[in-house]
């Protein structure tokens, strides 16, 4: 990496986004929706992208790489020939900005799933035309626990460019993380100032402050093996007591990668789609005979926790398949808390953990 | 693109003609149509007939499916009231379709696409007249495309929720604390003397919910129970269906007044025996979050439901339903929002609702959180036939949301749990509430907590509103 | 197979069909494109994802042994959406094929050994390809026994091939039906397959036992073989989890870290014992 990074004013940053937009790059950023929550959306103006709302988006940005529903191909048998045709893919590049470091790290987990042999063609195609700009957090929510799973509010995993907003001046530090990121920024960088030691010191202070604002405990380092041997623990029933199997957790999660494949239309013409799926659903594993290897909700929730904190780490050098974004905790309609669940299982005492969470009164 | 030659040819594409699917009962309307045929009374050829034994068999999902499969209009026809082969099937259908038609109108579907008629076996002439009228109406409305209108992105921004002045104050911290202590006290007692084997209540949580469901099986564990001014979650959802978390013996459940309505519903629908559940009514002054009162609470008249076996409040524990003193209520803010939507032109309403449903991620949290969605296999999970397209896109999202709404019509307890659970903040509360209001307008009845009360769509009256031709 | 995996099936034409029972059918299928057909090579135990367009896709074992160039065979029981649609198709019609996927039976390790195939119901479909491969090179192996079981006599699959299997010292055939499933004149065994297997003492320390059937049967077979002294490493089975992609991403078929499509479907009793009890 040649460039060490640039110091931009808000105006310069906005201006750069404008240049990118005008060059035809699709810019995707968190936008405050009419419902009061923010969501990643394709934006029309640089101003919209330059000032993301402070709240974390309700859903992760994964749909821009792994759409919730995508047509794999359509088929037409109604004429004189049977044809399968794949939809035209968009060809243009897309820039994802305003991702929290956990979001970018979550997309990296998807890479590990979809880009390992054999590579998923549509994911890979989208990935190749995507540049990811992550932005260091300035606030931590009560459900955030990136630090518990090896991440950090100023982490760079999965990002092509890392952005830090300096408190006070509102200026931005833009640092290339990958060659792709540098390549995108380089043409505009001639007029940008380099990052100074003072800038770095301030960024480090900010990162330190956010990190210490995260109250959730780190996981014990041996959590994956403990979990692996806790498959039959009665605690599963307790941590997943209230789980109603709605699947929100998987849909909101930046790293969940499971999908379903379904046909629509009739025998003459129609299409085949792949759509997100969730191990929380009873239909996820149910055999055609009706037999279900995961017959109850706790066993389904166990799969969720085990996949992320035991099975995946075992195959990826200890790396968790959870980046601690806290979305599933915030959105779960039944108050199930994956961080507590893992701590509970790893320590062997669920109720103690619940008690620690502060039963006031 | 992969391609293989097949034998055979296809019809060449022709100019658009309206396609109408007519669902007819076997005994009257189908025979009426048949008679029109044999008597050589002509009628528009654009109608495909689907014969059912009785118009009472008409599930609104048939109508949605017809649209989805390319119908431009739908006609439902049965025996005249009083003439039903099965005595009253058509009278139930009249109620159900009244509600459905109102819902379709509310979401902005052109009313010209949906018609109902009474046609007897001898009314070949009427059949012909009805069909001609329906076809020309549909022709005016134009092609529905491949339900493509539902793919059209919304152009209309959703209305911001306008919080009205709440009629009450949130409870004080002391009240909440006392209520919690009293809840624990009662729970301990019930578990200690073996009156119940489990208590489903709330506990504090550090996560997204201020109070999360808790399942308490021992007196010691009763310490985890808590009440807070924001205790969302209708815990009666754990009493039956796939979420069922009852224990052998009696299960006690902590209920707010709204939650008790679904308990009444479950009892009415025989989902659990009354003597296996103990309702702990907790004095609720409304659900407060971020200083805002939940919409469902504005007009809620009683802090304790009449179904309560125990009443728990800051003041103490009482046997049976002991509501506090009369309290202030205000008009339900959802009504104003519904009225605002209803005053828009149909096209804008449709744009609003397709915009809402567009955000549906098909997680089915609305169903999972709903105490009245207790089917072991939901229609959304049935694949033969695939009633509801599985992919999260226009037609499937529309079919899912409308079908769920109809399945809750006359049963929805108005607890707004679906809307709370929905991660996409879709205004499911307005859909359900508009149905409740349309039922009230049409039939003068609402969903009651009393298990003995008759549910509005399981009955009929001779003088019910009748929009059948 | 290429480094990228596709969810786009190849079009294939049904070139033959026969009913095995009232609800089990065998289809012969040929890929339409010549070069695709030629590059489609498989090993016994591998499976394909078969599509009926408009109805979906399902994992089905390829039941014919690899050298019958040009076509594959599948045998399936009508269970649900896809399999019902598939059953309605006949010769000349188009389906989709993806694959082949998964690992295969370790036939090389079986040389010189006695082999017992135990197939319950439609489970026999998974054993058909390795059985045919073994019979083709009959001399390489010791005694070959085939135990075919079903809930009733009319549910026995591959009845038309029984004679052929037994011809010229090929295989010893034992037919069994569940108690109550026998018809008048039934001359086979009566009893649940693992019981019949144990009663007849069909395996020993050196035998290879190849089993496929419903999950409960597998459990009992593992117990029966262990009582007869067959080490779990030599009990081989194939798993049939719900599966969507066949490529290792969709998440449906995982049993702990084991993915049936990637690490299976063929697995030994020994490896099975290390998996979480989630079958
Ligand atoms: C490796 C392997 C080999 C196999 N070999 C054979 C074989 O040789 N012979 C044989 O008979 N069987 C075999 N099976 C089992 C076979 O795959 C199933 O019987 C088959 O998938 C049943 O499909 P179905 O559509 O008929 O059943 P269904 O019960 O209708 O459904 C199963 C499929 O339907 C769809 N579906 C159902 N419900 C839902 C829902 N709620 N949401 C979305 N989609 C849904 C999905 O596509 C699902 O995969 C094998 C399985 C595996 C894994
Ligand atoms: S853990 Fe929560 S979000 Fe996930 S399926 Fe269960 S209830 Fe839904
Ligand atoms: S499991 Fe939950 S906290 Fe972890 S990455 Fe997924 S949504 Fe975020
Ligand atoms: S198995 Fe569950 S936790 Fe794992 S990726 Fe799939 S949905 Fe997410
Ligand atoms: S909860 Fe919301 S997003 Fe989920 S299925 Fe229901 S309406 Fe759709």
């Amino acid at each position: 990496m040649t460039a060490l990074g640039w110091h931009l004013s808000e105006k310069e940053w906005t201006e750069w986004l404008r240049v990118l937009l005008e060059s035809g790059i699709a810019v995707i950023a968190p936008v405050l929706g009419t419902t009061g929550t923010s969501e990643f959306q394709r934006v029309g103006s640089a101003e919209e992208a330059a000032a993301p709302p402070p709240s974390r988006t309700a859903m992760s940005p994964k749909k821009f790489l792994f759409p919730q529903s995508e047509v794999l191909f359509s088929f037409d048998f109604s004429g004189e020939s049977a044809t399968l045709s794949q939809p035209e893919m968009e060809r243009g590049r897309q820039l994802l900005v305003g991702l929290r470091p956990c979001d970018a790290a979550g997309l990296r987990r998807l890479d590990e799933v979809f880009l390992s042999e054999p590579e998923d063609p549509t994911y890979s195609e989208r990935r190749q035309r995507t540049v990811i700009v992550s932005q260091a957090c300035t606030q931590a929510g009560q459900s955030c626990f990136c630090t518990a799973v090896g991440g950090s509010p100023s982490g760079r995993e999965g990002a092509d460019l890392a952005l830090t907003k300096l408190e006070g001046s509102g200026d931005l530090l833009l640092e290339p993380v990958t060659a792709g990121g540098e390549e995108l920024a380089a043409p505009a960088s001639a007029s940008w100032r380099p990052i100074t030691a003072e800038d770095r010191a301030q960024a480090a202070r900010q990162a330190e402050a956010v990190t210490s604002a995260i109250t959730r405990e780190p996981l014990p380092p041996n959590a994956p093996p403990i979990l692996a041997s806790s498959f039959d623990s009665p605690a599963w029933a307790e941590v997943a007591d209230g789980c109603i199997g709605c699947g929100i957790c998987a849909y909101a999660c930046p790293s969940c990668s499971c999908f379903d494949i379904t046909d629509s239309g009739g025998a003459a013409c129609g299409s085949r789609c792949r759509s997100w799926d969730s191990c929380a659903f009873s239909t996820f594993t149910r055999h055609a005979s009706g037999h279900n290897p995961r017959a109850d909700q706790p066993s389904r929730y166990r799969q969720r926790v085990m996949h992320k904190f035991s099975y995946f780490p075992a195959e990826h050098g200890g790396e968790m398949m959870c980046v601690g974004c806290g979305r599933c905790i915030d959105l779960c309609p039944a108050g199930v808390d994956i961080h507590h669940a893992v701590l509970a299982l790893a320590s062997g005492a669920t109720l103690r953990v619940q008690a620690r969470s502060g039963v006031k009164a | 693109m992969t391609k293989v030659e097949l034998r055979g040819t296809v019809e060449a594409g022709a100019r658009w003609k309206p396609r109408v699917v007519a669902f007819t009962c076997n005994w009257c309307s189908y025979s009426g149509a048949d008679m029109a045929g044999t008597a050589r009374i002509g009628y528009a050829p654009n109608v495909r007939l689907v014969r059912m034994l009785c118009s009472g068999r008409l599930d609104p999902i048939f109508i949605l499916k017809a649209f989805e499969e390319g119908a431009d209009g739908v006609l439902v026809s049965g025996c005249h009231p009083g003439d039903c082969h099965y005595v009253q099937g058509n009278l139930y259908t009249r109620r159900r379709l009244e509600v459905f038609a109102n819902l379709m109108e509310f979401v902005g579907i052109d009313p010209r696409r949906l018609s109902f008629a009474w046609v007897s076996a001898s009314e070949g002439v009427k059949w012909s007249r009805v069909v001609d009228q329906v076809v020309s109406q549909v022709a005016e409305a134009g092609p529905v495309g491949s339900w493509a209108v539902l793919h059209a992105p919304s152009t209309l921004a959703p209305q911001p929720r306008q919080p009205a002045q709440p009629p009450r104050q949130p409870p004080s911290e002391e009240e909440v604390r006392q209520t919690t202590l009293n809840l624990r006290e009662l729970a301990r007692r019930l578990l200690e003397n073996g009156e119940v084997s489990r208590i489903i209540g709330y506990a504090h949580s550090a996560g997204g919910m201020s109070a999360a469901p808790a399942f308490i099986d021992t007196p010691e564990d009763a310490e985890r129970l808590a009440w807070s001014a924001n205790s969302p979650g209708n815990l009666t959802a754990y009493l039956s269906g796939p979420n069922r978390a009852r224990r052998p013996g009696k299960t006690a459940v902590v209920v707010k007044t709204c939650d008790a309505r679904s308990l009444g519903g479950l009892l009415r629908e025989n989902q659990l025996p009354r003597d296996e559940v103990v309702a702990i009514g907790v004095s609720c002054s409304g659900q407060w979050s971020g200083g805002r009162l939940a919409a469902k609470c504005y007009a809620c008249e009683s802090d304790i439901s009449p179904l309560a076996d125990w009443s728990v409040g800051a003041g103490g524990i009482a046997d049976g339903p002991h509501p506090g003193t009369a309290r202030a209520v205000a008009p339900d803010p959802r009504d104003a929002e519904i009225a605002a939507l209803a005053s828009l032109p149909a096209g804008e309403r449709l744009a609003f609702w397709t915009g809402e449903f567009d955000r549906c991620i098909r997680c089915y949290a609305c169903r999972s959180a709903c105490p009245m969605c207790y089917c072991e296999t939901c229609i959304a999970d049935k694949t033969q036939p695939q009633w509801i397209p599985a992919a999260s896109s226009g037609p499937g999202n529309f079919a899912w949301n409308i079908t769920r709404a109809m399945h809750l019509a006359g049963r929805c307890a108005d607890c707004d749990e679906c809307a709370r659970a929905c991660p996409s903040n879709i205004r499911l509360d307005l859909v359900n509430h508009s149905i409740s209001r349309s039922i009230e307008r049409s039939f003068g009845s609402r969903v009651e907590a009393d298990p003995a009360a008759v549910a509005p769509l399981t009955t009929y009256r001779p003088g019910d509103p009748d929009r059948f031709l | 197979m290429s480094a990228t995996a596709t969810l786009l099936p190849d079009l294939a034409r049904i070139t033959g069909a026969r009913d095995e029972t009232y609800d089990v059918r065998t289809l012969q299928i040929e890929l339409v494109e010549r070069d695709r057909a030629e590059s489609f090579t498989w090993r016994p135990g591998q499976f394909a994802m078969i599509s009926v367009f408009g109805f979906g896709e399902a994992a089905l074992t390829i039941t014919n042994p690899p050298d019958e160039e040009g076509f594959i065979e599948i045998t399936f029981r009508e269970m649900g959406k896809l399999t019902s649609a598939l059953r309605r198709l006949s010769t000349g019609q188009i389906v989709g094929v993806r694959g082949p996927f998964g690992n295969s039976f370790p036939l090389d390790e079986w040389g010189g050994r006695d082999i017992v195939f135990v197939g319950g119901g439609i489970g026999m479909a998974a054993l058909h390809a390795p059985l045919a491969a073994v019979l083709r090179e009959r001399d390489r192996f010791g005694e070959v026994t085939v135990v075919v079981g079903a809930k009733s006599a009319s549910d026995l699959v591959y009845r038309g091939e029984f004679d052929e299997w037994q011809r010229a010292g090929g295989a010893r055939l034992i037919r069994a039906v569940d108690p109550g499933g026998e018809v008048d004149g039934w001359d086979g065994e009566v009893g649940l397959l693992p019981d019949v297997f144990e009663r007849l003492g069909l395996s020993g320390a050196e035998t290879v036992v190849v089993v496929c059937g419903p999950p409960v049967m597998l459990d009992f077979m593992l117990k029966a073989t262990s009582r007869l002294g067959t080490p779990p490493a030599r009990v081989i089975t194939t798993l049939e989890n719900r599966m969507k992609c066949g490529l290792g991403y969709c998440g449906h078929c995982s049993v702990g870290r084991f993915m049936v499509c990637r690490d299976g479907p063929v697995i030994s009793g020994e490896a099975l014992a290390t998996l979480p009890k989630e079958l």
Side-chain angles (χ1 to χ4, degrees):
Chain A
M1 210 66 42
T2 48
L4 289 167
W6 308 278
H7 181 131
L8 285 73
S9 67
E10 261 177 299
K11 197 159 155 276
E12 284 170 317
W13 166 239
T14 315
E15 181 54 26
W16 184 50
L17 291 172
R18 199 180 56 72
V19 169
L20 293 177
L21 269 170
E22 281 170 2
S23 74
I25 292 182
V27 176
I28 289 138
V31 173
L32 191 63
T34 40
T35 61
T37 52
S38 60
E39 290 301 351
F40 282 96
Q41 273 173 27
R42 189 169 170 171
V43 296
S45 75
E47 286 69 24
E48 247 182 309
S55 58
R56 188 197 56 214
T57 55
M59 291 287 168
S60 86
K62 76 175 167 190
K63 70 174 175 188
F64 294 95
L65 293 177
F66 172 40
Q68 166 153 24
S69 266
E70 86 182 294
V71 173
L72 297 168
F73 59 85
S74 45
F75 55 90
D76 189 346
F77 286 28
S78 62
E80 290 178 28
S81 57
T83 51
L84 300 185
S85 32
Q86 286 178 289
E88 276 296 314
M89 288 286 275
E90 268 193 50
R91 294 282 159 217
R93 294 173 86 188
Q94 58 179 7
L95 181 74
L96 305 188
V97 299
L99 278 78
R100 297 194 161 215
C102 55
D103 288 339
L107 297 183
R108 269 278 303 139
R109 304 299 187 277
L110 290 185
D111 287 353
E112 271 155 37
V113 173
F114 288 117
L115 300 182
S116 66
E117 291 272 300
E119 197 172 273
D120 180 73
T122 52
Y123 182 89
S124 151
E125 193 277 338
R126 279 196 191 86
R127 192 68 184 83
Q128 279 163 24
R129 54 186 175 81
T130 303
V131 176
I132 294 172
V133 186
S134 74
Q135 181 157 357
C137 294
T138 50
Q139 279 173 7
Q142 59 166 2
S143 56
C144 291
F145 62 100
C146 57
T147 46
V149 287
S152 125
S154 54
R156 285 161 189 213
E157 189 193 354
D160 295 303
L161 287 159
L163 194 70
T164 309
K165 192 176 179 94
L166 297 178
E167 276 156 31
S169 68
D171 284 359
L172 298 128
L173 308 182
L174 183 67
E175 296 168 80
V177 182
T178 64
E182 183 173 359
E183 204 179 293
L184 185 75
S189 64
S191 63
W192 297 338
R193 282 163 287 160
I195 292 179
T196 63
E198 174 46 33
D199 289 340
R200 282 195 199 284
Q202 182 177 350
R205 276 195 306 277
Q206 287 180 200
E208 178 53 36
V210 186
T211 304
S212 59
I214 294 177
T215 51
R216 289 182 173 248
E217 286 179 48
L219 304 183
N222 54 347
I226 299 184
L227 282 174
S229 61
S230 312
F231 191 84
D232 296 315
S233 164
W236 290 111
E238 240 170 76
V239 294
D241 240 350
C243 173
I244 54 177
C246 68
I248 289 180
C249 44
Y251 285 13
C253 178
S255 66
C256 269
S257 55
C258 288
F259 60 82
D260 190 11
I261 299 178
T262 49
D263 282 17
S264 59
C269 59
S271 58
R272 180 164 296 166
C273 239
R274 94 160 147 193
S275 313
W276 294 347
D277 207 342
S278 162
C279 58
F281 294 142
S282 62
T283 49
F284 191 76
T285 47
R286 191 194 291 144
H287 292 194
S289 63
H291 168 75
N292 199 340
R294 293 186 204 126
D296 54 14
Q297 213 50 49
S299 67
R300 294 172 205 136
Y301 190 70
R302 173 176 60 199
Q303 165 66 15
R304 174 169 185 75
V305 173
M306 290 293 245
H307 186 206
K308 292 189 173 296
F309 295 90
S310 169
Y311 308 151
F312 188 92
E315 301 204 350
H316 294 87
E319 181 182 271
M320 312 279 179
M321 201 202 191
C322 164
V323 292
C325 73
R327 284 192 175 84
C328 58
I329 299 174
D330 284 344
L331 286 176
C332 175
V336 176
D337 185 323
I338 198 163
H339 177 243
H340 281 185
V342 177
L343 283 181
L345 262 299
S347 70
T350 42
L351 300 183
R352 197 171 62 77
V353 173
Q354 293 214 355
R356 190 168 46 213
S357 77
V359 183
K360 301 179 285 249
Chain B
M1 184 144 108
T2 334
K3 195 169 182 156
V4 181
E5 297 309 311
L6 295 175
R7 280 164 292 256
T9 53
V10 254
E11 306 163 36
R15 203 169 51 83
W16 178 75
K17 292 199 204 81
R19 280 192 291 185
V20 173
V21 173
F23 295 97
T24 61
C25 79
N26 179 52
W27 305 100
C28 297
S29 301
Y30 192 82
S31 309
D34 203 33
M35 161 158 188
T38 45
R40 297 178 182 280
I41 308 166
Y43 62 90
N46 319 47
V47 177
R48 324 277 152 103
L49 262 58
V50 179
R51 176 158 54 156
M52 301 172 296
L53 271 182
C54 175
S55 58
R57 172 67 182 92
L58 198 275
D59 185 320
I61 205 167
F62 297 176
I63 300 178
L64 295 174
K65 197 75 192 163
F67 282 127
E68 187 195 311
E69 299 278 331
D72 303 298
V74 168
L75 164 66
V76 180
S77 184
C79 308
H80 285 269
D83 293 346
C84 176
H85 190 80
Y86 306 97
V87 187
Q88 40 185 219
N90 56 354
L91 300 175
Y92 289 114
T93 277
R94 181 168 66 181
R95 277 209 164 192
R96 191 156 63 238
L97 291 181
E98 178 69 19
V99 173
F100 182 66
N102 285 335
L103 175 62
M104 289 286 97
E105 207 172 322
F106 180 60
V107 298
I109 300 294
D110 191 328
R112 288 174 297 189
R113 300 196 186 282
L114 193 52
S115 311
F116 313 112
W118 305 127
V119 176
S120 77
S122 60
E123 292 177 319
V125 177
K126 178 172 180 190
W127 173 259
S128 141
R129 190 163 44 76
V130 164
V131 167
D132 289 349
Q133 180 185 336
V134 167
V135 169
S136 74
Q137 243 173 254
V138 174
E140 262 172 48
V144 80
S146 52
W147 217 206
V149 58
L150 298 175
H151 279 300
S154 159
T155 49
L156 188 78
Q159 315 282 307
R161 299 186 204 205
Q162 308 241 331
Q165 188 59 37
R168 272 165 262 134
Q169 291 297 310
S172 71
E173 265 180 42
E174 183 53 22
E175 281 170 315
V176 169
R177 204 180 73 89
Q178 278 304 331
T179 307
T180 294
L181 293 177
N182 289 334
L183 260 177
R184 291 177 185 173
E185 166 62 26
L186 174 64
R188 240 186 331 264
R189 239 197 277 161
L190 293 175
L191 286 163
E192 255 161 21
N193 50 26
E195 273 179 69
V196 303
S197 50
R198 160 165 281 191
I199 291 173
I200 307 179
Y202 303 97
H204 283 302
S205 109
M209 284 170 87
S210 46
F215 301 80
I216 309 293
D217 300 338
T218 61
E220 302 74 56
D221 208 20
E223 284 312 300
R224 284 168 57 215
L225 281 175
W227 173 249
S228 105
N230 185 18
S231 297
N234 180 340
L235 303 176
T236 66
Y238 293 109
L239 293 179
S240 70
N243 302 337
R244 186 181 143 139
R246 278 192 281 141
R247 272 292 182 84
K250 289 189 186 201
T251 298
V253 59
V254 175
V255 290
K256 308 186 286 287
T257 308
C258 45
D259 306 338
R261 274 196 301 274
S262 56
L263 174 59
L266 292 171
L267 295 169
R268 182 180 310 122
E269 296 177 14
N270 299 316
Q271 293 306 305
L272 73 163
R274 181 65 181 97
D275 56 9
E276 284 186 17
V277 59
V278 173
I280 303 180
V282 59
S283 173
C284 171
S285 57
Q287 294 295 302
W288 298 85
S289 139
R292 279 216 203 164
L293 180 63
K296 64 174 175 179
C297 304
Y298 278 67
C300 177
E301 283 163 357
S302 178
D303 67 328
I304 299 264
S305 164
L307 267 190
D309 297 308
W310 294 94
S311 301
V312 177
I317 302 169
D319 201 344
H322 280 263
T325 49
R327 66 177 183 184
V329 291
D332 191 322
R334 292 171 297 184
D335 289 329
E337 290 188 84
I338 289 169
L341 276 169
S343 68
L344 296 174
E348 282 184 34
R349 275 201 309 274
L350 184 61
F352 172 81
W353 285 111
T354 52
E356 289 294 292
F357 299 153
D358 236 18
R359 297 201 306 274
C360 176
I361 60 170
R362 302 294 286 285
C363 59
Y364 305 123
C366 42
R367 155 185 98 187
S368 309
C370 174
M372 301 309 290
C373 270
Y374 51 66
C375 294
E376 288 296 337
T377 306
C378 171
I379 191 144
D381 289 335
K382 294 196 174 154
T383 57
Q384 297 190 82
Q386 185 92 44
W387 284 112
I388 298 176
S392 145
S393 68
N397 293 0
F398 188 84
W400 163 243
N401 282 283
I402 297 298
T403 301
R404 203 188 92 83
M406 278 309 292
H407 283 190
L408 272 308
R411 306 170 59 240
C412 167
D414 223 12
C415 68
D416 278 1
E417 267 296 276
C418 50
R420 178 188 69 87
C422 179
S424 307
N425 292 322
I426 297 171
R427 297 304 306 271
L428 302 172
D429 54 337
L430 297 188
V431 178
N432 292 336
H433 197 65
S434 83
I435 294 182
S436 303
R437 289 304 195 213
S438 109
I439 288 176
E440 239 175 291
R441 270 195 317 275
S442 302
F443 316 120
S445 53
R446 50 161 79 195
V447 174
E448 307 281 351
D450 179 5
V454 178
L457 292 193
T458 61
T459 185
Y460 62 87
R461 269 195 232 102
D464 279 341
D466 191 332
R467 59 170 78 213
F468 283 61
L469 299 168
Chain C
M1 287 210 47
S2 58
T4 58
T6 179
L7 293 168
L8 183 74
D10 282 314
L11 292 175
R13 201 183 293 279
I14 298 175
T15 49
R18 64 177 177 274
D19 284 323
E20 302 289 351
T21 73
Y22 60 95
D23 66 349
V24 175
R25 193 167 161 87
T26 295
L27 296 178
Q28 193 186 74
I29 295 170
E30 260 180 59
L31 294 192
V32 169
E33 284 174 47
R34 272 273 116 240
D35 53 330
R36 298 292 300 161
E38 273 155 24
S39 62
F40 192 99
T41 54
W42 70 98
R43 300 182 305 276
Q46 288 196 291
F47 64 96
M49 298 298 295
I50 304 291
S51 298
V52 180
F53 297 101
F55 296 85
E57 228 178 10
L60 296 171
T61 307
I62 304 174
T63 56
N64 56 330
D67 57 355
E68 284 167 56
E69 289 290 313
F71 66 84
I72 60 169
E73 286 192 337
I74 50 171
T75 302
F76 59 94
R77 159 166 287 147
E78 177 170 351
M79 292 296 292
K81 188 175 184 179
L82 184 279
T83 44
S84 327
L86 193 58
R87 186 151 175 254
R88 289 195 293 270
L89 299 185
S90 52
T91 307
Q93 287 183 290
I94 300 291
V95 295
V97 175
R98 287 193 299 125
F101 298 119
N103 63 0
S104 55
F105 287 101
L107 285 158
D108 294 343
E109 298 167 17
W110 299 351
R113 290 183 189 277
D114 294 349
I115 306 171
V116 188
F117 292 94
V118 186
I122 186 66
M124 200 55 216
L127 305 186
H128 193 272
L131 172 62
V134 163
L135 290 180
R136 180 169 301 151
E137 295 183 88
R138 184 66 192 83
D139 300 343
R140 282 185 50 213
F141 307 94
E143 293 275 303
V144 176
T145 311
V146 183
V147 191
V148 191
K151 50 182 190 289
S152 77
S154 54
D155 285 297
L156 286 173
V157 293
Y158 299 130
R159 267 170 294 178
E161 298 177 42
F162 287 175
D163 289 344
E164 197 184 316
W165 294 347
Q166 297 178 84
R167 191 173 303 142
R172 172 181 173 208
L173 179 76
I174 296 165
R175 294 161 305 136
V177 293
D178 291 355
E182 62 270 39
V183 282
D184 280 348
W186 173 251
D187 57 357
E189 301 288 329
V190 177
L192 299 172
L193 268 188
D195 299 341
V196 171
F197 178 86
E198 197 170 353
R199 190 162 73 223
L200 300 182
L202 289 178
S203 72
E206 297 302 319
T207 324
V208 171
V209 182
V210 192
V211 193
C212 188
V216 278
M217 177 186 128
L218 184 60
D219 239 23
F220 284 104
M221 275 304 297
L222 283 167
K223 289 184 185 127
T225 46
S226 114
R227 282 191 293 263
L228 292 175
T230 313
R234 268 199 285 284
V235 180
I236 314 291
T237 188
T238 131
L239 301 177
E240 302 204 337
N241 284 34
R242 182 151 177 173
M243 188 178 283
K244 290 292 178 175
C245 71
L247 298 164
Y249 336 111
C250 79
H252 288 260
C253 69
S254 56
V255 184
R257 289 167 58 189
F258 187 90
M259 271 194 255
V260 174
C261 66
R262 181 192 69 186
D263 310 316
V266 176
I267 182 171
S268 72
E270 190 181 28
L272 204 57
T274 66
L275 301 188
K277 302 285 161 283
E278 242 183 2
L279 288 174

